């Protein structure tokens, strides 16, 4: 038992530092997808509500493709597809060297697109729950459409969408384990390396389970805090 625990130490011969570094990559990748996936999902939702046919068609196609494809397939297509496309473009310009795409950036792009597709459905449902006529009321008060959206509608949309977005975040956090297939050194990649070297699968896979459960628990606390903060004015308005 002590020999097994020593494998998790941060000393020489232990895998603690490697697992910690992999866990940081996992969290960093998931967090890096939020600034892209969240606003892109909102843009897709707005396009789906557009009165023009072209934006609606684009939104439907985007949502259908990236919600329908397995996340692993999306990751592999973007990773290898970008390399092949860049190779052909540079070859046409006379460059014959090998082109390698950064694995972290490729994974960030792939998971951001998937996250945007799923979050767009959450944004759409939030739009449907808003009271009708709010834009007209804002116009009657002399507010521009831009000001009305960012100052009046978006805070309400965010409050309504938070529970659904929290589920999407947890899915994103778990999906990051797929990046080990393109050799990005995340938590699962380090875990697999540790298992192959030490032949202790239950120990290291058990530790990986605990780390993901810890991430999920912390995420739940953060989203619960955000929901309470966004609902403060509603609680204050109750008799």
């Amino acid at each position: 038992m002590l020999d097994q625990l020593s494998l998790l130490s941060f000393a020489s011969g232990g895998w603690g530092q490697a697992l910690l570094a992999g866990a940081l990559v996992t969290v960093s990748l998931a967090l890096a997808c939020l600034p892209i996936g969240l606003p892109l999902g909102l843009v897709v939702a707005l396009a789906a509500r557009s009165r023009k046919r072209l934006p609606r068609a684009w939104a439907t196609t985007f949502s259908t493709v990236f919600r329908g494809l397995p996340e692993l397939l999306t990751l592999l297509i973007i990773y290898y597809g970008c390399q092949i496309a860049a190779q052909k473009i540079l070859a046409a310009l006379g460059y014959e060297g090998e082109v390698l795409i950064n694995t972290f950036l490729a994974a960030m792009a792939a998971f951001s697109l998937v996250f945007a597709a799923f979050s767009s459905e959450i944004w759409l449902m939030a739009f449907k729950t808003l009271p009708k006529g709010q834009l007209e009321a804002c116009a009657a008060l002399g507010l521009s459409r831009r000001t009305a959206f960012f100052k009046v509608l978006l805070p309400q949309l965010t409050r309504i969408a938070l529970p659904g977005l929290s589920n999407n975040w947890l899915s994103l956090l778990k999906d990051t384990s797929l990046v080990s297939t393109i050799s990005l050194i995340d938590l699962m990649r380090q875990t697999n390396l540790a298992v192959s070297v030490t032949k202790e699968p239950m120990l290291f896979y058990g530790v990986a389970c605990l780390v993901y459960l810890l991430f999920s628990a912390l995420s739940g606390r953060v989203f619960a805090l955000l929901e309470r903060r966004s609902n403060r004015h509603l609680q204050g308005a109750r008799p």
Side-chain angles (χ1 to χ4, degrees):
M1 182 65 178
L2 292 177
D3 291 339
Q4 287 184 325
L5 292 178
S6 67
L7 294 174
L8 301 175
S9 71
F10 288 82
S12 177
W15 287 86
Q17 186 172 354
L19 293 175
L20 178 60
L24 291 176
V25 171
T26 294
V27 174
S28 299
L29 177 58
L31 290 174
C33 294
L34 290 182
I36 302 173
L38 273 178
L40 180 57
L42 181 58
V43 169
V44 174
L46 290 172
R49 291 172 50 86
S50 174
R51 297 178 180 178
K52 298 180 181 179
R53 182 177 302 177
L54 186 60
R56 289 203 311 272
W58 171 77
T60 300
T61 302
F62 182 95
S63 179
T64 301
V65 169
F66 290 108
R67 289 172 62 227
L69 289 178
E71 287 80 357
L72 178 59
L73 185 56
T74 302
L75 175 63
L76 295 176
I77 287 176
I78 290 181
Y79 179 61
Y80 291 109
C82 288
Q83 290 189 93
I84 294 172
Q87 188 80 51
K88 290 185 175 180
I89 292 173
L90 292 177
L93 298 175
Y95 176 77
E96 298 299 335
E98 185 180 6
V99 177
L100 295 176
I101 301 297
N102 183 276
T103 52
F104 188 92
L105 293 179
M108 185 175 68
F111 291 130
S112 293
L113 293 173
V114 174
F115 186 79
F118 281 96
S119 65
S120 67
E121 297 299 314
I122 304 298
W123 290 118
L124 277 174
M125 288 189 290
F127 270 112
K128 293 178 181 178
T129 62
L130 285 181
K132 296 181 179 179
Q134 288 205 11
L135 283 177
E136 290 78 1
C138 291
L141 293 173
L143 300 178
S144 66
R145 292 183 65 88
R146 178 185 178 87
T147 302
F149 178 78
F150 285 102
K151 298 296 185 180
V152 178
L153 298 186
L154 186 57
Q156 298 179 73
L157 291 172
T158 303
R159 175 179 58 81
I160 297 169
L162 268 177
L165 293 176
S166 68
N167 292 330
N168 286 354
W169 161 257
L170 292 177
S171 297
L172 170 65
L173 194 60
K174 292 181 290 185
D175 289 342
T176 57
S177 62
L178 299 173
V179 298
S180 59
T181 59
I182 60 173
S183 301
L184 182 61
I185 310 297
D186 72 322
L187 176 60
M188 281 307 302
R189 177 73 172 177
Q190 294 286 24
T191 301
N192 290 330
L193 290 174
V195 169
S196 65
V197 172
T198 64
K199 311 302 180 185
E200 293 284 352
M202 293 307 298
L203 172 65
F204 286 100
Y205 288 136
V207 170
C209 287
L210 292 177
V211 173
Y212 277 108
L213 288 174
L214 176 62
F215 288 161
S216 298
L218 291 176
S219 299
R221 294 294 297 272
V222 171
F223 274 96
L225 177 62
L226 292 175
E227 288 183 42
R228 285 199 300 269
R229 289 179 63 88
S230 64
N231 290 326
R232 280 185 307 179
H233 68 286
L234 295 178
Q235 295 171 353
R238 292 174 182 173

